[in-house]
């Protein structure tokens, strides 16, 4: 019941919370002094407790050894008796330790023998007996306990006492019959504990005057006086100048008439106005199945319902339909709250008198009703009631209730359960007599909507539409304006149920042909329950998402000896996947089903893979080549007919998806990114970019390739790993100070090698290539380009760099008359750590020259050109223990030189 509804009901019975300070609180709960002085508030919030039907998770876990020891120690401290004298505390503690140690050993023995109960997190339901049933342990009572109390209860089981236990109540909402609640009892939920019936309302004409009431008498006319006359214990009031007048037992209307007659008789020219002042209090008793039975002092205006609210309401085991009012030991009235709740009838809500007893007996018979009724609940039966009356109490049937699908569960006298199917269309069923504990279920109409067709997919107005005799596809979709963008007009699916078993059949048609030629077969005649699906041409997977559910439904409804037929289409189509197989389906139909070929499709041929089942049970796989060009041009013989479970693969145009790009920057006429074909060479690219500019320096062209960079990086990582291994070996063999210093230097070198990033430069001879191109002959220096290649053509260069073990590494202006040593001398000469026998030159094109005239002769007269870098290496031969040092140091130097030179020419 909603709070507003409850409030209105409370106001209708005069039960309103006391708000005025000068109004005495009504009612007053009268209790003997002593142990009953404290009364819990009905609205007091308490921790939620487990009930029958609740679902709980019980966690049973082992406590690890350290946790268990700490737990037992805490148990020891907690169990120490405060009454033990301080001098006896050590002996007492020793005794506890011995006991807990013995217990700990037993626990460990049990674990080792693997005598463990059911472990982990498990789901249980509190049954009708209020218990859960656990493996090995059996039934354990849970109802009425909160979560922590339930965990303590489980821990009391011998098999569970040494384990961590946690109980969690899942907030699962009950449904169906378990969710049904007794009707009407929520009227008393949230009722305030103190009520004061309205005292400022007119007194009813039938209000009976009694001792304690106050009568207000106003005289006006010849005399003007006001009197408050209290009704005395003998039932009289003393009216001035008249004397005592007996009023007890009179109704208020009778009282008015009597006083008017007396005033008119005794006074001339005086008239009277009679009303009630403060009303008397009465004591009543509310007993039986109420939340707070007892004696109450209430206003004389209180009624039966007031008294029920005063006592906190009726308990769920109490009757709402047979509430007794006893007066003088006899039943004078019975209240049926259903009349009040369902019809607003308050005729049975009579006024109370002094000493009245309201008794709420236990409910005798109930019946529940669930399903398609407006107010499913458990209802109290009054006397012999029928199924029709129960439905009426539940507010009647809903619009979608199936009157012919009603079930009644009943427990017989012998404890046997029975189930009866009833039909409310019959008058006999409506008068079917109910018994205690009957459960009635009203089922909804199970039949789907008839005379409708359904539209789904890429349409603006999807849903159900009315079916009419002779209705066709264009009657449902008369225009493409009803469809969304990218809707497929050439392949529309229609799902149709056939036969008494409602097997699903899928057929396809073309909406384009149906709209262009309404008289054609493409304009399919629709049947009731048909489902029309408009597919999408978008290449986002939505097409298959719409088709697959229908294939699954076909499979679910297929007979046991009937297989679901489909064809699989993949490759260069818009919607690759599985599609329904139809009799007479050909290659062009498969293309239509998959949303047509895409722009990458190779339109000369396709391939069909077919599984042929032989009588001997051995399957053979064959591949058929389709002449796609002729099949699409209308040659029937080439447009092969498909079989169930065929796989059709539409090939892509060779090299279509392999986009190869190279990037050219620097001194070229048209720099930028260029798309290349397979096998295209550098000479072709030079022509496409318009050649080199006049300021270009062909000797220093930088050619970077990702494939080379990856291989170089792998080699660097391998050398770093090997060098670290040699460092470890050297550290074990060298114990002197110099050896330790060498190892530290080697570690730094290994770290440098590990952090070095490869570049992937390919050394090319562009000047020779340009000469061969000018002379029109094939060149051995022409490089085949690959995807991701990067080419940089620098400007003319005039500098020479000197790096490594020289006193002042620098970059000097190129002079024709200077040799290698001249440049080294200009940089301050070599340092003592230099290896002057292995000086080398990194040429502008990336190649390395050792400055030899022959394989055994090293000369300082080596040719130096602009853009070259002279490298004076470190003498690493002094450290004999690491054989890789020379190789590694040269690699690092070469990479460093390359990076420095590229920075100079503007690449990095």
């Amino acid at each position: 019941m909603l709070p507003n509804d409850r409030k209105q009901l409370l106001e209708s019975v005069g039960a309103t919370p006391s708000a005025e300070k000068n109004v005495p609180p009504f009612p007053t709960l009268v209790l003997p002094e002593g142990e009953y002085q404290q009364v819990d508030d009905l609205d007091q919030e308490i921790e939620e407790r487990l009930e029958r039907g609740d679902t709980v998770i019980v966690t049973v876990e082992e406590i690890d050894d350290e946790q268990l020891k700490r737990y037992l120690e805490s148990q020891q401290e907690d169990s120490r008796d405060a009454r033990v004298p301080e001098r006896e505390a050590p002996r007492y503690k020793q005794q506890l330790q011995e006991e807990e140690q013995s217990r700990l050993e037993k626990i460990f023995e049990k674990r080792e023998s693997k005598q463990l109960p059911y472990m982990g997190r498990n789901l249980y339901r509190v049954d009708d007996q209020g218990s859960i049933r656990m493996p090995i342990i059996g039934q354990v009572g849970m109802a009425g306990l909160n979560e922590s109390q339930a965990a303590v209860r489980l821990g009391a089981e011998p098999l569970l006492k040494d384990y961590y236990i946690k109980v969690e109540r899942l907030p699962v909402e009950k449904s169906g019959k378990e969710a049904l609640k007794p009707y009407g009892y929520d009227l008393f939920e949230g009722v305030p504990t103190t009520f004061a019936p309205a005292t400022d309302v007119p007194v009813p004409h039938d209000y009976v005057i009694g001792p304690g009431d106050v009568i207000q008498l106003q005289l006006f006319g010849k005399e003007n006086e006001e009197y408050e006359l209290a009704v005395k214990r003998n039932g009289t009031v003393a009216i001035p100048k008249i004397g005592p007048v007996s009023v007890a037992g009179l109704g208020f209307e009778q009282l008015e008439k009597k006083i008017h007659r007396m005033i008119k008789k005794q006074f001339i020219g005086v008239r009277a106005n009679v009303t009630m002042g403060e009303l008397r209090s009465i004591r009543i008793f509310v007993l039986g199945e109420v939340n707070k039975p007892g004696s109450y002092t209430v206003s004389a205006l209180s009624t039966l319902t007031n008294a029920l609210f005063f006592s906190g309401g009726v308990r769920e085991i109490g009757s709402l339909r047979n509430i007794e009012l006893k007066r003088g030991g006899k039943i004078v009235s019975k209240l049926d709250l259903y009349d009040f709740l369902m019809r607003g009838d308050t005729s049975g809500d009579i006024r109370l008198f002094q000493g009245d007893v309201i008794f709420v007996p236990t409910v005798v018979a109930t019946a529940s009703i669930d399903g398609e009724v407006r107010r499913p609940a458990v209802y109290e039966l009054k006397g012999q009631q029928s199924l029709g009356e129960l439905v009426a109490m539940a507010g009647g049937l809903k619009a979608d209730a199936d009157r012919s699908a009603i079930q009644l569960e009943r427990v017989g006298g012998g404890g046997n359960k029975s189930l009866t199917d009833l039909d409310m269309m019959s008058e006999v069923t409506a008068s079917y007599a109910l018994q205690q504990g009957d459960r009635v279920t009203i089922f909804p109409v199970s039949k789907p909507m008839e005379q409708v067709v359904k539209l789904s997919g890429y349409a603006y107005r999807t849903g159900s539409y009315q079916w009419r005799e002779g209705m066709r596809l264009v009657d449902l979709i008369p225009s493409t304006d009803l469809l969304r963008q990218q809707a497929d007009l050439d392949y529309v699916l229609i799902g149709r149920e056939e036969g008494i078993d409602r097997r699903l059949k899928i057929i396809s048609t073309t909406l384009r042909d149906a709209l262009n030629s309404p008289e054609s077969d493409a304009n399919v005649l629709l049947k009731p329950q048909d489902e029309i699906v408009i597919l999408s041409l978008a290449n986002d997977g939505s097409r298959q998402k719409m088709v697959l559910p229908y294939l699954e439904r076909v499979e679910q409804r297929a007979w046991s000896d009937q297989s679901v037929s489909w064809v699989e289409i993949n490759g260069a189509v818009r919607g690759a996947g599985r599609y329904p197989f139809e009799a007479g389906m050909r290659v062009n139909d498969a293309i239509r089903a998959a949303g047509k070929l895409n722009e990458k499709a190779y339109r000369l041929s396709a391939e069909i893979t077919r599984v042929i089942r032989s009588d001997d049970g051995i399957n053979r796989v064959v591949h058929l080549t389709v002449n796609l060009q002729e099949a699409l041009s209308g040659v029937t013989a080439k447009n092969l007919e498909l079989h169930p479970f065929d796989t059709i693969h539409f090939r892509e145009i060779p090299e279509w998806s392999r986009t190869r790009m190279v990037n050219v920057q620097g001194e070229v006429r048209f720099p930028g990114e260029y798309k290349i074909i397979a096998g295209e060479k550098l000479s072709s690219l030079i022509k496409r970019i318009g050649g080199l500019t006049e300021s270009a320096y062909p000797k220093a062209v930088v050619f970077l390739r990702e494939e080379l960079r990856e291989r170089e990086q792998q080699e660097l990582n391998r050398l770093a790993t090997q060098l670290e291994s040699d460092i470890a070996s050297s550290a074990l063999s060298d114990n002197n100070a110099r050896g330790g210093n060498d190892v530290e230097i080697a570690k730094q070198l290994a770290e440098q090698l590990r952090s070095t990033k490869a570049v992937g430069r390919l050394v090319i001879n562009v000047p020779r290539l340009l000469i061969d191109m000018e002379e029109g002959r094939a060149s051995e220096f022409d490089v085949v380009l690959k995807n991701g290649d990067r080419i940089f053509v620098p400007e003319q260069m005039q500098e020479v760099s000197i790096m490594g073990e020289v006193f002042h590494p620098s970059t000097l202006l190129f002079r024709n008359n200077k040799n290698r040593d001249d440049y080294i001398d200009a940089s301050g000469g070599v340092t003592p750590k230099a290896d002057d026998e292995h000086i080398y030159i990194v040429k502008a094109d990336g190649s390395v020259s050792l400055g030899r005239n022959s394989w055994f002769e090293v000369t300082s007269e080596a040719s130096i050109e602009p853009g070259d870098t002279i490298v004076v290496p470190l003498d690493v031969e002094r450290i004999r223990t690491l054989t890789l040092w020379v190789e590694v140091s040269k690699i690092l130097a070469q990479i460093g030189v390359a990076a420095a030179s590229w920075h100079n020419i503007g690449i990095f």
Side-chain angles (χ1 to χ4, degrees):
M1 182 175 293
L2 296 176
N4 288 338
D5 297 336
R6 186 180 299 111
K7 181 179 178 182
Q8 292 176 2
L9 284 173
L10 295 177
E11 292 176 351
S12 68
V13 298
T16 57
S18 178
E20 300 182 12
K21 294 182 179 180
N22 58 346
V23 177
F26 286 100
T28 301
L29 181 60
V30 180
L31 292 174
E33 295 184 2
E35 58 180 341
Y36 297 102
Q37 282 295 315
Q38 294 184 349
V39 180
D40 293 333
D41 191 346
L42 287 176
D43 290 337
Q44 184 178 2
E45 192 173 330
I46 60 174
E47 187 174 356
E48 196 165 4
R49 300 181 181 275
L50 300 180
E51 299 176 355
R52 292 168 177 81
D54 281 349
T55 301
V56 296
I57 294 179
V58 177
T59 303
V60 180
E61 294 179 350
E62 278 192 87
I63 306 175
D64 62 52
D65 297 347
E66 291 301 321
Q67 287 178 328
L68 185 58
K69 289 178 180 178
R70 288 196 297 270
Y71 168 74
L72 293 178
E73 289 173 0
S74 66
Q75 292 282 64
Q76 271 184 211
E77 295 297 327
D78 294 342
S79 61
R80 185 178 182 272
D81 194 336
R83 293 173 297 179
V84 176
E86 192 65 31
R87 62 180 181 276
E88 298 292 333
R91 185 178 62 81
Y92 180 77
K93 185 175 182 180
Q94 177 66 26
Q95 180 181 350
L96 285 177
Q97 287 178 345
E98 293 175 356
E99 292 175 356
E100 296 303 333
Q101 183 64 30
S102 175
R103 183 183 175 197
L104 187 62
E105 291 175 357
K106 291 180 180 178
I107 294 173
F108 291 155
E109 289 176 3
K110 182 189 296 184
R111 290 182 179 177
E112 291 175 0
S113 62
K114 301 189 183 301
Q115 297 176 359
L116 300 177
Y118 198 81
M119 307 292 291
R121 289 168 57 87
N122 295 279
L123 205 63
Y124 299 97
R125 180 180 176 275
V126 182
D127 58 22
D128 293 340
Q129 286 73 43
S131 303
I132 62 172
R133 182 176 293 276
M134 300 182 67
I136 303 176
I137 297 172
Q139 280 191 325
V140 182
M142 291 282 119
L145 305 178
N146 58 34
E147 292 178 352
S148 57
Q149 290 171 341
V152 173
R153 169 64 185 86
L154 289 173
E157 294 291 327
L159 290 175
L160 295 176
K161 65 180 182 179
D162 299 319
Y163 296 91
Y164 168 78
I165 299 171
K166 182 180 180 181
V167 177
E168 302 169 83
R169 178 184 179 274
L170 295 181
V172 179
E173 290 190 5
K174 298 178 181 179
S175 60
K177 297 175 183 177
E178 292 183 354
L180 296 180
K181 294 183 178 180
Y183 173 74
Y185 295 90
D186 56 351
L187 173 65
F188 304 103
E189 292 181 0
V191 176
T193 55
T194 302
F195 281 87
T199 58
D200 56 353
V201 297
V203 176
H205 291 296
D206 59 349
Y207 177 76
V208 178
I209 308 299
D213 286 335
V214 175
I215 302 170
Q216 292 180 344
L217 176 62
Q218 181 184 16
L219 301 178
F220 58 93
K222 186 178 178 181
E223 295 183 14
N224 295 302
E225 298 290 343
E226 290 186 5
Y227 303 101
E228 286 195 352
L229 310 174
V231 181
K232 299 178 180 179
R233 292 181 182 275
N234 60 359
T236 64
V237 292
I239 301 177
K241 301 180 183 179
I242 294 178
V245 177
S246 178
V247 295
L250 296 177
F252 178 67
E253 186 176 11
Q254 295 173 325
L255 173 68
E256 281 185 307
K257 292 179 180 180
K258 184 174 183 177
I259 292 179
H260 279 301
R261 286 195 306 268
M262 295 180 67
I263 296 297
K264 187 176 181 180
K265 183 178 179 180
Q266 296 292 332
F267 297 93
I268 299 174
V270 178
R271 301 175 64 184
N273 178 44
V274 181
T275 185
M276 296 299 297
E278 183 177 346
L279 303 181
R280 69 182 184 278
S281 297
I282 61 175
R283 175 170 293 186
I284 62 170
F285 297 89
V286 185
L287 305 174
E289 301 300 336
V290 292
N291 286 304
K292 288 187 175 182
S295 172
Y296 292 86
T297 301
V298 298
S299 167
L301 289 176
S302 298
T303 63
L304 271 170
T305 52
N306 291 134
L308 293 175
F309 282 109
F310 298 158
S311 63
V314 181
R315 299 170 60 194
E316 287 194 0
I317 63 171
S319 172
L320 295 181
R321 308 197 64 184
N322 192 30
I323 300 173
E324 300 173 352
L325 174 60
K326 296 183 178 182
R327 187 172 294 158
K330 297 180 180 180
I331 298 176
V332 297
S333 177
K334 289 187 178 182
L335 175 63
D336 187 346
L337 278 178
Y338 278 24
D339 293 336
F340 176 45
L341 294 171
M342 295 180 181
R343 291 176 286 277
D345 182 4
T346 60
S347 59
D349 188 22
I350 64 175
R351 191 167 293 108
L352 301 177
F353 287 87
Q354 172 71 25
D356 279 355
V357 176
I358 296 95
F359 179 74
V360 180
T362 304
V363 65
V364 176
T366 60
S368 66
I369 184 167
D370 187 26
E372 301 306 307
V373 291
R374 292 188 176 89
R375 192 167 51 228
V378 179
Y379 291 91
E380 181 180 351
L381 302 180
K382 187 176 182 181
Q384 189 67 44
Q385 291 194 279
S386 64
L387 177 60
E389 291 174 311
L390 179 63
V391 172
M393 285 192 290
L397 300 176
K398 292 182 179 179
D400 56 349
D402 189 348
R403 295 173 179 268
S404 63
I406 300 175
Q407 285 187 347
L408 185 144
E409 298 179 36
R410 175 171 292 174
V411 179
N416 298 323
K417 291 185 178 181
S418 63
L419 182 67
T420 305
D421 291 326
L422 302 172
D423 184 355
M424 282 289 289
M425 304 297 289
S426 169
E427 294 182 2
V428 177
T429 300
S431 59
Y432 192 90
L434 298 176
Q435 295 181 10
Q436 156 64 10
D438 282 353
R439 293 184 174 185
V440 178
T441 304
I442 312 291
F443 292 98
V445 176
S446 58
K447 295 180 181 179
M449 280 193 296
E450 298 180 352
Q451 310 302 315
V452 295
V453 292
K454 298 177 183 178
L455 177 64
S456 63
Y458 262 56
Y460 285 111
R461 289 182 55 197
T462 57
S464 299
Y465 289 80
Q466 180 185 356
W467 176 85
R468 301 181 300 275
E469 189 70 37
M471 186 178 186
R472 292 185 176 272
L473 181 61
V474 294
D475 296 325
L476 179 65
I477 310 174
S479 170
T480 56
D481 294 338
L482 301 176
L483 306 180
R484 297 180 181 273
Q485 291 183 352
Q486 292 190 312
D488 190 354
L489 303 180
D490 295 315
Y491 188 71
V492 176
L493 290 180
I494 300 176
R496 178 170 295 169
E497 294 180 349
E498 294 184 336
I500 59 174
D501 54 355
R502 298 173 61 187
R503 285 180 294 123
L504 186 64
K505 177 183 178 182
I506 300 178
I507 58 179
S508 68
T509 187
T510 59
L511 181 59
R512 189 188 306 276
D513 293 347
L515 291 172
N516 292 334
S517 302
E519 299 82 12
S520 65
D521 294 339
N523 191 15
V524 177
L525 181 66
L526 300 180
K527 295 184 178 181
Q529 306 300 322
D530 277 356
E531 299 180 30
I532 297 89
V533 185
I534 307 297
L535 301 178
S536 167
L537 290 174
N539 189 21
D540 56 2
S542 60
R543 193 179 184 91
Q544 269 295 284
K545 290 179 181 178
M546 298 173 69
V547 173
L548 287 179
Y550 283 88
L551 289 176
E552 293 173 358
R553 286 172 57 188
V554 171
E555 184 174 4
Q556 291 170 359
R557 300 187 186 183
W559 292 344
S560 58
D561 58 347
Q562 180 188 28
S563 60
V564 180
S565 299
W566 45 261
V567 292
E568 187 164 348
I569 308 166
N570 54 44
V573 292
R574 294 187 179 183
R578 289 185 177 180
Y579 291 89
F581 172 81
E582 300 178 70
M585 193 175 187
R586 294 181 178 272
V587 173
N588 61 345
D589 297 320
I591 295 174
R592 185 169 57 87
K596 301 179 183 178
L597 302 174
N598 59 29
E599 65 278 0
K600 301 183 292 184
Y602 182 66
R603 298 175 182 269
L604 296 181
S605 66
E607 183 183 74
I608 298 175
T609 301
R610 180 171 296 164
V611 177
I612 300 176
R613 292 179 173 85
S614 57
D615 296 336
D616 57 4
I618 299 176
N619 296 335
R620 292 187 301 109
V621 178
V622 297
H623 303 285
L624 306 176
T625 301
V626 180
N627 189 328
L628 193 57
Q629 186 176 18
E630 294 186 6
L632 295 177
S633 62
V635 180
T636 305
K638 301 299 182 181
N639 189 17
L640 301 182
E641 186 172 343
L642 302 179
H643 291 188
F645 311 111
D646 278 355
T647 299
I648 308 101
H649 179 72
F650 294 96
R651 302 183 176 100
E652 292 184 0
I653 297 174
E655 302 295 332
W656 176 276
S657 59
R658 297 188 61 185
T659 302
R660 298 179 176 88
M661 303 294 295
V662 296
N663 187 287
V664 185
Q665 300 294 335
E667 295 302 317
V668 297
R669 296 192 182 278
F670 303 106
E673 277 198 325
Y674 286 83
K675 189 174 182 178
I676 60 174
I677 61 175
E680 186 170 355
K681 295 188 176 182
L682 179 60
S683 58
S684 171
L685 181 63
I686 292 175
K687 294 177 183 178
R688 292 170 60 191
I689 63 177
L692 278 59
T693 65
E694 294 179 357
S695 59
Y697 187 38
K699 289 185 178 181
V701 171
V702 177
F703 190 106
L704 302 179
R705 177 163 288 172
E706 181 65 20
E707 179 183 302
L708 294 177
R709 188 199 67 77
E710 292 176 356
R711 289 208 300 264
E712 289 174 4
Q713 190 65 53
Q714 291 176 0
E715 183 65 17
L716 287 175
N717 294 338
R718 185 191 65 79
L719 288 174
T721 301
Q722 188 172 348
L723 181 59
E724 290 168 351
S725 177
D726 287 354
I727 291 171
S729 300
S730 177
L732 293 175
S733 59
D734 292 340
N735 295 323
N736 54 29
R738 177 180 176 182
N741 188 38
D742 292 342
V743 168
E744 288 300 319
I745 297 174
K747 286 182 179 179
Q748 296 176 8
L749 187 62
E751 291 176 2
Q752 185 179 358
L753 183 61
R754 182 70 73 181
S755 61
T756 300
K757 302 298 181 184
V759 291
R761 182 177 184 182
L762 178 65
V763 177
I764 58 175
N765 194 333
V766 176
R768 289 291 302 274
L769 174 61
L770 294 175
I771 294 172
D772 292 341
M773 289 176 60
E774 186 176 348
E775 295 177 356
R777 65 173 181 266
S779 177
E780 62 178 333
F781 303 102
D782 205 357
V783 179
V784 177
L785 300 175
K786 293 186 178 182
N787 181 46
D789 285 348
R790 290 180 294 161
I791 302 169
F792 183 83
V793 181
E795 293 180 308
Q796 288 287 343
M797 306 177 68
Q798 294 182 296
E799 63 275 357
V800 175
S801 297
I802 301 92
M803 301 178 62
E805 295 299 322
V806 293
F807 282 103
H808 185 64
S810 58
T811 299
L812 305 176
L813 188 66
F814 172 76
R815 290 290 182 268
N816 285 325
N817 58 348
K818 286 190 176 183
N819 61 20
R820 183 196 71 184
D821 290 347
D822 292 335
Y823 287 108
I824 292 176
D825 291 340
S827 298
V830 298
T831 66
K833 297 187 292 182
D835 184 1
D836 53 4
E837 295 183 2
H838 295 91
I839 298 173
Y840 57 91
I841 303 166
V842 179
K843 307 296 290 182
D845 62 1
S847 60
V848 178
S849 171
L850 297 179
R852 297 176 182 269
N853 287 337
S854 63
W855 67 271
F856 58 87
E857 181 182 1
V858 179
T859 177
S860 62
E861 302 298 328
S863 174
I864 302 295
E865 297 177 318
D868 288 353
T869 301
I870 302 169
V871 181
V872 181
L874 173 71
D875 185 7
V876 295
E877 290 293 335
R878 297 176 300 162
I879 307 174
R880 305 284 184 184
T881 55
L882 299 178
T883 59
L884 287 177
W885 280 34
V886 177
E887 180 182 357
V888 170
S889 62
K890 287 182 178 180
I891 290 173
L892 292 174
Q894 185 173 350
I895 292 174
V897 169
S901 61
W902 296 345
H903 179 73
N904 290 336
I905 63 178
I907 296 179
F908 298 140

